[in-house]
Amino acid sequence: MLKKFLFADLDDTLFQTIEKCAALAPREALEPAAYYSDGSICSFTTPAQRAFFAFVSEGMTVIPTTARSLDSFARVDLGFSSYVVLNFGGIILQPDGSIERDWQGRMHGLMTAALPGLQELGARIDAWAEETGYGGRTRLVEDAGTPFFIVVKDPDKVHANLERIEREVVLPWIADGHGDYCVHRNGNNLAILPTSLDKANAVAYVTERLRREHGEIVTFGMGDSRSDARFMADCDYAIIPRRTQLSKLTVETL
Ligand SMILES: [Mg+2]
């Protein structure tokens, strides 16, 4: 029988914050799945999510495919044993937990080339914030010595504010000769990435590696966001949790 692999996004796919759990399950049914750096609980699983994870873990190998960094992935308590895709595909961990060095070298070159653009846009967003009295600022996300993307979070979690930054600052900048950058906005998260940083590229690399190790395989992709769609489309099957950005854009709109 062919071996099966599930590339699974983490946040809002296998678990979510307490606020987002309210619509999914009663408080007493939730269990912790991820922690903040101070040790407090960041996210929870619902009974359905635990049943799903136990079910897929029996029949296939689960490969986390996440925007989380090395540090924030280490604070996820679910149990994985194979490859891991981090930082939107910027870093791949091998099954022994070490960083895949060939991929790291390749991404470091691409990200170094893309950094000046990110810095230019970051300065533009922060200048806009200064002018308009907006409270949020951009943050450059780096990991293991490589800069990957910039992110803005609204200090008051007003998602409409991020929509405005995207519309007034980011999209005009991308349209003005910066087509090698793209924007992902979901909930209280506005991220601008070089297009060379994509979960799909890392998933393709790991899939190729798995085919060399196991011969023909079957792949599944699972995620909640637009930023997951490309890697999910490259898998044999796609799984979308209900009431997510991706399900609202696809199956729930038909
Ligand atoms: Mg997600």
Side-chain angles (χ1 to χ4, degrees):
M1 181 126 71
L2 300 184
K3 282 207 180 338
K4 298 172 282 298
F5 295 87
L6 170 64
F7 292 94
D9 174 56
L10 298 179
D11 292 77
D12 298 333
T13 295
L14 296 182
F15 51 74
Q16 55 283 312
T17 57
I18 189 84
E19 295 88 353
K20 292 173 185 166
C21 284
L24 303 172
R27 174 69 184 85
E28 60 274 16
L30 305 175
E31 288 183 10
Y35 298 84
Y36 292 111
S37 42
D38 68 1
S40 62
I41 302 169
C42 156
S43 293
F44 295 83
T45 52
T46 64
Q49 286 170 325
R50 291 194 295 278
F52 177 85
F53 188 73
F55 165 67
V56 294
S57 298
E58 266 178 41
M60 53 183 129
T61 303
V62 181
I63 299 178
T65 305
T66 176
R68 281 179 176 256
S69 64
L70 284 163
D71 181 58
S72 62
F73 176 69
R75 291 186 265 105
V76 174
D77 184 22
L78 280 185
F80 303 104
S81 57
S82 182
Y83 293 95
V84 176
V85 173
L86 300 174
N87 295 296
F88 280 115
I91 286 181
I92 294 171
L93 299 185
Q94 311 206 75
D96 69 2
S98 65
I99 292 176
E100 214 293 322
R101 295 293 171 190
D102 288 346
W103 185 254
Q104 188 185 32
R106 186 189 304 191
M107 291 308 298
H108 189 78
L110 291 167
M111 294 301 103
T112 302
L115 180 60
L118 288 181
Q119 289 168 326
E120 182 190 313
L121 177 60
R124 196 170 284 211
I125 294 170
D126 289 345
W128 179 93
E130 200 72 47
E131 278 164 32
T132 59
Y134 179 70
R137 290 294 183 276
T138 56
R139 185 168 66 87
L140 177 68
V141 176
E142 302 177 70
D143 206 10
T146 301
F148 287 114
F149 57 96
I150 55 176
V151 65
V152 190
K153 287 177 188 286
D154 187 74
D156 304 314
K157 298 191 175 179
V158 179
H159 303 168
N161 290 337
L162 298 181
E163 190 275 330
R164 190 173 161 211
I165 297 172
E166 178 182 8
R167 183 165 34 85
E168 293 190 15
V169 189
V170 180
L171 291 179
W173 181 82
I174 290 175
D176 184 25
H178 300 98
D180 41 359
Y181 296 83
C182 61
V183 57
H184 293 305
R185 182 170 56 82
N186 192 4
N188 193 28
N189 216 322
L190 176 71
I192 299 96
L193 284 64
T195 51
S196 50
L197 181 65
D198 193 315
K199 288 180 178 181
N201 299 340
V203 167
Y205 184 87
V206 173
T207 300
E208 172 62 33
R209 177 74 67 88
L210 292 170
R211 291 217 165 94
R212 283 211 302 274
E213 293 170 5
H214 303 285
E216 197 49 47
I217 58 172
V218 188
T219 58
F220 297 73
M222 182 179 190
D224 69 288
S225 297
R226 275 178 185 273
S227 53
D228 301 311
R230 268 199 59 207
F231 88 78
M232 292 165 66
D234 291 340
C235 293
D236 293 308
Y237 297 91
I239 304 172
I240 307 174
R242 71 191 296 203
R243 294 189 190 131
T244 55
Q245 182 181 48
L246 214 45
S247 75
K248 285 172 190 159
L249 284 165
T250 55
V251 287
E252 289 176 27
T253 58
L254 299 176

